Amino acid sequence: MDLKNELQKIVGAGNVLDSPEILEEYSTDNGIYPPGMPTVVVKAGKSEDVAKVINLANKNSTPVIPVSSGVHFQGCTIPYQGGIVLDLSNLNKILEIDPPNRRVRIEPGVTWGQITDELAKENIRVISPLLPHADRSVITDYLEREAPVVPKYEFAEPLMTYEIVWPNGEVFRTGSASVPGYPDSPAKGTNPAGPGLDFYRLPQGAQGTMGVINWANLKLEYLPKINKIFFMPFEDINAAIEPIYKIPRVHIGQEFFLLNHVDLALILAKQWPDDYDRLSDILPSWTLILTISGPPRRPEERIEYEKEALFDLKKQYFQDMPILEALPGVPGGGRELIHMLRKPWPKEEVYWKNRLSGACQSLFFIARPEDAPSFYEKVVDEAPKYGYPLEDLGVYLQPIEQSRVCHLEFNMFYDPDDPIEREKIRIMNRELAQDLLDMGAIFTRPYGDLADMVYEKATSYTTALKRVKKMFDPNNIMNPGRLCF
Amino acid sequence: MTIPQAAYKVLEAIVGPDYISQDPIDCEAHTPGPNGFETDLGVATILKSPGCVIFPSTTEEVQKIVKTCNRYKVPFIPISTQWWSGRGAAKVEDALMIDLKRMDQCDIDDKHMFAVVGSGLIYSQLQEEAMKRGLYTTIPGGGSQVGVVANHILYGSSPLNYRTCIANRRILGVEWVLPDGEILRLGSCALDKDDYLWGEGIGPDLRGMIRGFSPGWMGSMGIVTKMSVKLVPFQPDKPMPVGISPDTAVELPLKRINWYNFILPSKDALVKAMYEIANAEIGAGLTKVPLFWRAIAKANNKEEFWELWDQESEETVAAMNVLRVLLIGFTSEKQLEYEERVLQDIIVKDLGGKQTRTKPTDESWVKNADSASMWMMCGGYTSLEFDFEAISHAVAKGVDCSKLKKGYTPPLMKAYGDQGWFQVGDYGHLALFEFLTYQDPDDEQKHKVDEWSVALSKMNIENRYYTAQLASHKPLFLTGPAYGPDYHKWMIRFKEEFDPDALSNPPGPADTDLFIQEAEWMQKVKDWPAPKIEANKNPKFE
Amino acid sequence: MPEEYVKFDLTDMKNFEYDMKRCVRCKGCKWVDHIYMPGATYSTRCPSEKRYLFDSFSAWGRLRLALSLLNGRIEFNDRFVEAIYKCQLCGACDAGCKRNLDLEIGSALESLRIKCVADGFGPMPEHKAIAEKIEKEHNVFGGPADNRDKWAKGIQTDDKAEFVYFVGCYGSYKMQGIPKATANILKATGQSFKIMGSDEYCCGYPLYSTGQIEKAKKAAQHNIDTIAKSGAKTVITACAECYKTLKVDYPKMFNKSTSDMGYQVIHLVEFVADQMEKGTIKFKNNIDMRVTYHDACNLARMSEPWVYWEGKRKLYGITEPTAPRRKGTHGVYHQPRNILKAIPGIDYVDMIRIRENAWCCGAGGGVAEAFPEFAQWSAEERLEEVDEVGAAALITACPRCKDNFSKAINASGDNIKVMDIAEMINEAIK
Ligand SMILES: Cc1cc2nc3c(=O)[nH]c(=O)nc-3n(C[C@H](O)[C@H](O)[C@H](O)COP(=O)(O)OP(=O)(O)OC[C@H]3O[C@@H](n4cnc5c(N)ncnc54)[C@H](O)[C@@H]3O)c2cc1C
Ligand code: SF4
Ligand code: SF4
């Protein structure tokens, strides 16, 4: 029996798609990388399908490329070696909301758009990365270790436990969800650790190479009702660094991050392109954005002492730094950002990163905040060599875990329909990455072209990783060609 | 009992003659027991004296030692402080004990809040260094004398986990000598061996493979030589030590840090308080301790303890719903005042609790943790059941453990139905549960403690509880099929891939299986299928 | 456990089998009290374990070895004997252990030495040599017994005094500045005293601490008899070793309690602190110096009175009647510090490891005699600590400590000044 037939037996004929148009659709994404054609697309209808598809793929040594989100930017779902695209977007149930234990269990197809509204009804939320695309899968964003926009927690890992189909076809539940009979058990799945080993981080940053998640438990936090937002403008990125270290360290605030004028204008602009043009002109070069919010009990009092502490810090360390409650020249002072930050980017609008030119290549890595200025300098020095206009360079610095490190991101905008420009961006992305890597940038999730250069540098890790991968994926069926596999 | 002499010569050349010995006296002294953590239980019957002891001082030496072990097929076991003494011992004859105490590096990056530590460094050392810099780490219940590296690998549970969660969250860069002697660096040191800033990836993250839940590999997956661990921001006023032994404590800067004790009208109210406090995102520690700890704290010696404890009854124990809350004004003194108000709202106003007096000091948790005093009352102590799961899970399990315990008391110390220790972690997303039991190590019925240990595993499986007591502490082939399922297969596959000759602390992770196989008195409880375990081979599952 | 009858009698190691068996390897005997843990350095308390690393050189390891000896798992050999004697018997382990548990670590170690000698494997040759000197001339140096009170020439003593000043070998023969200063201080306060002259025998510390209990008992009996004959009720000493031997070890050797001895032992610092309270001593001299104080083990954590006990040990190790436990809480800690702080001009600073957590000078337990290099190593570590706190002078309250530190300083050329507290007080009252 051929592959298609067997797949149809698993998911039903309607869910096995191989028309040229569909295959074409899955052959590419919103990024800089060239297309690659899948053999077939399978839409999983229930989680049991997943293991069956993977077992079949193992039998046939066929690649499987799991896809959860409706939108992709980094090329990691492009099937370069053909095979089965396993589309999980129909696995989109919110399986459990458990407010007392502050957890939600969802399937991989659940998107930010879907979950945010649902949880808001109960005044709870999953803390998101900065303005995610409404169609992005919540699970995959955190599997891919996007940085949460709230750095106040001592550790930034919202993903707790999951059911995974390992590449060898074995179904496994991680952490405390591994108890017999879960979820019909006193164990709720809130402990990621174990069983036996700590499996939970293995599929993270794996770009689908380490298995397919059927569902996951994520942490919930309260959705604050009372909020304040503050803007700290800087002309020089160097001046922003000390506040970046000092403010979250004394437990002030919720959302906290630094944007340059380009990224901030892209986010704040209402009328396109007029607002953007005006805002990118008048906004300060850098703006540090901080929200202070009240928890469910005595919210005003909490806001009050945090605010007071913020101004004490200013008095003590950065007297010259303005702390503004509104951004001058911006309609509404930019205050609506508070509400924007608690939701994905509105579906009806072009995604903020795509507003300027239609597409965006983000180059990001982990770094010490204090090194951000020199990384920035480097990009500023190099970008013009590729003909990239500096006035279009977006920069986003997201402190992680009270600024022990930061996620530093350079956004390079381009026209996706212009193959030459796209190729130029690809080259620039690759070469800049090499420069930054040499300077000490920590690329923990190297996509596309970056994988080779990063793994080459990490030889012992690469060797061990390949040994582990072979154990879990003896036939190398899961998204082959990614990372170092 | 020695290792091959050719191997000894090579090893001696690696570290120098002062740092190695095969003298039977030195080997005997390095053999834990007869008392200690688990060394008074049945599992001790499989423990052996090492054939040689060595003290490396650098990663390079560790690597050479492990490679030598591979060349001459010498089984080895790493130890940090050997506090987990039942496990810090070889289970095969003629093993090399690699004592890592000389590797006591402690380099702190204040700004990025991490410490790069060697295996010989213990918690009180790290805590002091951290607090000098306005940072802190969490002292595990296992005590301040616990090795920081080993504890981050093995467990890492502390009442201060309320905000920081268990230690697996706090591992960053790692330098690890694999069982075959290859060096593997994780996180940012994978890219630059001297940069210990970060722990993730590259790509899939292998940090979980060095540890486990719980207690993980127990030395059977090579040796972690260096690790960077997260520190977290504290408040600016350092708690200062006061008193003379045995009554020493740190004096708390009360405007910034304070313990509060409350008695709640019922257990339900106590549980509700835990949820509410966590939901309000206040606090830095939240714990309900077993009642006998209060008696330990009051007593000057075991005789006094027994005088106090003998006065208790099922009723008095059930009525004592004591909640201890630690508040820290990380932001300012006003934060502490604010949190006090919220605490009063929750406990006193909403739940009818009463505040009782507390000392302005901290004896255990902030800097010190008195785990050794656990042995004070009975001479023997074991913790055969603990986990992290939802608060409600801890509460339910406490009831079941307490019921099950009745059948094993004595030899277990009577606890009048005490339902264990629970403390909240990760801001209420979970709670530690620990059910501590005590016995006289010379009790004639003490084999029943081994049976109790297996009964707990069966109870967990039957009632679908999570547990941190999996391999290598409970039978791998009983718990393995139940959890995951088949987590044991992955452990065995890892062993086969990275340690095919079973040199790293064999027969981990099947130590307990070996003991049960060998112990005649365990046969009546062993009713699950298991392959034959050989002490010097990896277990097989098919 | 089956009920057993036990005694605090050190000549039978079995009396301490419980303590050996119940060690849990928590290493409270190794680390500074965690509450006082000063950080990544100066963090341990046991010189032996730090210097030699092997568990055989730690309290827990020696307990295991002692137990294995009792069980017949091992026998004495050279390595075992070396491990037994490369230990200062400084008591740091005992105090550390008793912070949490009820184990008699110090006594178990002493008992092991006694057994080692009884079985013909100990002590070390150097200890035997000293024993011969003591037997012959009643002092550790082998100097003529008649020279014992040479230092006291011209010093006024009073045969009817209530106080007998027990000078000790080091004061009598080697460091006479200390007894002279002591006598001066007593005189300045108007306290009359007598000395025992050549009837004062070595206190016996070098014998008792090395396990030569029978010889130690002889010396002890002689001194006990002499004190009794003298009619004095109070024995004052300026030597920490003599202090602890007379106060603690004498009753211990004879299965008695300190309170049964018929005399009270005080150290000069206790006397002076008392006089300060009464206002009978005045520090007139300004001494401009940053100084620190070294807690001599025998005056500090090991100096609590000995209480003999015998009784039952029952289930859970419960004792009946309740066994007394000396935890090192009531050592002579505050008096010397208060004295130094009261001297005008002195800038007093504590070291990092103090009181019950102090690091031994290295001389005790027969180490200075048998393993001088180890004794020096230990002293050097302590002197580093003196440097660390920026003190110019190190004050001791024991001639043995002063001697050991002085040797280390001579060898290293360090410029730290070492003084006995008697000398310092004497300077201040001049
Ligand atoms: C009474 C008691 C109570 C405890 N309570 C708690 C608690 O509340 N919370 C908590 O977190 N923990 C607790 N523990 C356990 C404690 O975490 C462990 O003792 C500790 O983590 C291990 O550190 P160690 O220095 O004792 O390691 P060791 O005893 O030296 O080693 C333990 C194991 O780890 C292996 N190992 C040691 N070092 C390395 C290394 N560098 N690389 C690889 N393997 C290594 C050894 O082979 C051994 O199997 C408790 C322990 C005891 C005895
Ligand atoms: S402190 Fe006592 S119980 Fe602990 S290891 Fe030392 S001797 Fe053993
Ligand atoms: S007496 Fe001193 S040197 Fe000897 S084991 Fe105890 S602490 Fe160490």
Side-chain angles (χ1 to χ4, degrees), chain A residues 181-259:
Chain A
Y182 185 89
D184 181 16
S185 55
K188 299 294 170 204
T190 56
N191 180 6
L197 301 175
D198 275 0
F199 291 92
Y200 72 108
R201 285 181 178 135
L202 193 59
Q204 293 179 15
Q207 300 179 19
T209 59
M210 290 307 300
V212 181
I213 304 251
N214 279 340
W215 46 252
N217 275 299
L218 284 102
K219 277 207 244 181
L220 296 176
E221 308 297 351
Y222 61 83
L223 182 64
K225 287 214 198 95
I226 307 181
N227 301 284
K228 278 208 172 306
I229 189 161
F230 297 96
F231 303 94
M232 290 152 263
F234 304 91
E235 281 315 313
D236 178 356
I237 184 175
N238 282 291
I241 301 306
E242 270 317 290
I244 286 175
Y245 280 107
K246 291 233 153 67
I247 292 171
R249 213 144 280 192
V250 287
H251 298 249
I252 298 175
Q254 294 258 341
E255 287 86 353
F256 183 57
F257 53 95
L258 179 78
L259 291 175

Side-chain angles (χ1 to χ4, degrees), chain C residues 225-246:
Chain C
D225 292 346
T226 311
I227 294 164
K229 258 190 263 158
S230 82
K233 288 281 161 270
T234 301
V235 182
I236 184 163
T237 162
C239 170
E241 255 178 33
C242 298
Y243 176 83
K244 185 258 199 169
T245 307
L246 269 78

